[in-house]
Amino acid sequence: KDLHPPVISLALSPDSGVFIAVLVRMTISGKSFIGGNLEIALAANLTANSRLGQDTTGIPKFSSQNCHFTLVNVKTNLPSSMLPKVMSKFIDSTLQKVLPGLLCPAVDAVLNLVNAKFTPLISKIPLGTAGTLHYTLLNPPTMNETFIELDLKTILQEEEGKEVDLPMDQLSLSSLPPKRDAATQLILSADLLSAELSVLLASFNLNISNNMVLGLPPLVTTMLGALIPEISGVLPPSQPVVIEMQEVKAPVVTITPDKSFVQLFSTSEFWVFPSDSPPESLFVLDV
């Protein structure tokens, strides 16, 4: 009874994993062999090392090693005259043997919860209907005193299953933004974002008609003439217009310390739909 919330300390061990120290305080109660109730209030320190590696599928995985249990303080309601012999034997034969088997598995349980967070790493993420995205570990996890670094390989596939080539150049840590305390930092390259948008190119193609442009003047040739007076003389009389947007080359993402830019390159072809003849292309704009 009286199980206090554990006090947990974590420290990163370079090239190893995570050092875990857990201070546990509890009261054990039961029947005394001399009659009455026996209560033992104890504080114990549980320490364990967890190594960060990867499993056979390439997912990061923590595994516990070297779990140790040390009694820090023990108090009992037994008469002080009985403490030296009886308590020493009880601690040696019971607490030191039983409690590690009860508490050390808790470390494994916590690590299993953490490992479950890594599982979606290799799950395929749909990019709409244009393709999929997923990751694998490019290198084994690395660790120093302040952070864990996971280098991920991005696998980008088009709808047909064809893999998109991505540059493999990696930035050195010295070129990355400063690491903030107690924060997860995700670094994405401009090449990756450009490639993702390239897979989605077909999604940018669309035909714009009246029912898509709410609140604007009707899409007819006279409206175009008012916007661009230079072509008003060659436009047919008032006819419905459809704007066909088509992407013409891969998007480009540029990232600077202050701003990020996405450039989309497309054409806008303006079509007129006379009631008594086939559609006619009026002109094409580069956008």
Side-chain angles (χ1 to χ4, degrees), residues 138-269:
L138 185 61
N139 299 305
T142 58
M143 188 174 307
N144 63 23
E145 293 86 351
T146 56
F147 64 87
I148 300 171
E149 180 185 348
L150 299 178
D151 292 330
L152 303 178
K153 177 184 178 183
T154 307
I155 301 176
L156 186 60
Q157 292 179 313
E158 297 176 350
E159 183 183 8
E160 300 80 11
K162 179 183 177 182
E163 188 171 331
V164 178
D165 290 331
L166 293 173
M168 296 300 290
D169 297 337
Q170 288 188 286
L171 296 174
S172 65
L173 286 179
S174 60
S175 65
L176 299 180
K179 177 77 172 66
R180 293 182 296 156
D181 292 338
T184 299
Q185 185 169 335
L186 177 65
I187 309 298
L188 295 176
S189 70
D191 291 328
L192 168 62
L193 298 176
S194 295
E196 286 191 19
L197 289 173
S198 297
V199 171
L200 295 169
L201 269 182
S203 303
F204 297 123
N205 297 335
L206 72 160
N207 293 334
I208 302 173
S209 59
N210 267 333
N211 58 354
M212 298 177 62
V213 192
L214 301 177
L216 293 180
L219 284 176
V220 293
T221 50
T222 50
M223 183 268 292
L224 293 179
L227 292 175
I228 314 175
E230 291 82 357
I231 64 170
S232 59
V234 297
L235 291 174
S238 181
Q239 297 285 348
V241 170
V242 172
I243 307 171
E244 182 181 18
M245 304 288 295
Q246 296 287 331
E247 295 302 310
V248 293
K249 62 179 180 178
V252 174
V253 177
T254 306
I255 299 176
T256 68
D258 300 317
K259 295 181 181 180
S260 298
F261 301 91
V262 178
Q263 292 175 280
L264 302 175
F265 307 93
S266 66
T267 57
S268 295
E269 187 167 7

Side-chain angles (χ1 to χ4, degrees), residues 52 67 69 82 105 107 113 125 134 164 166 176 211 222 245:
L52 179 59
C67 180
F69 179 85
M82 301 181 59
V107 176
L113 293 175
I125 304 165
H134 67 282
V164 178
L166 293 173
L176 299 180
N211 58 354
T222 50
M245 304 288 295

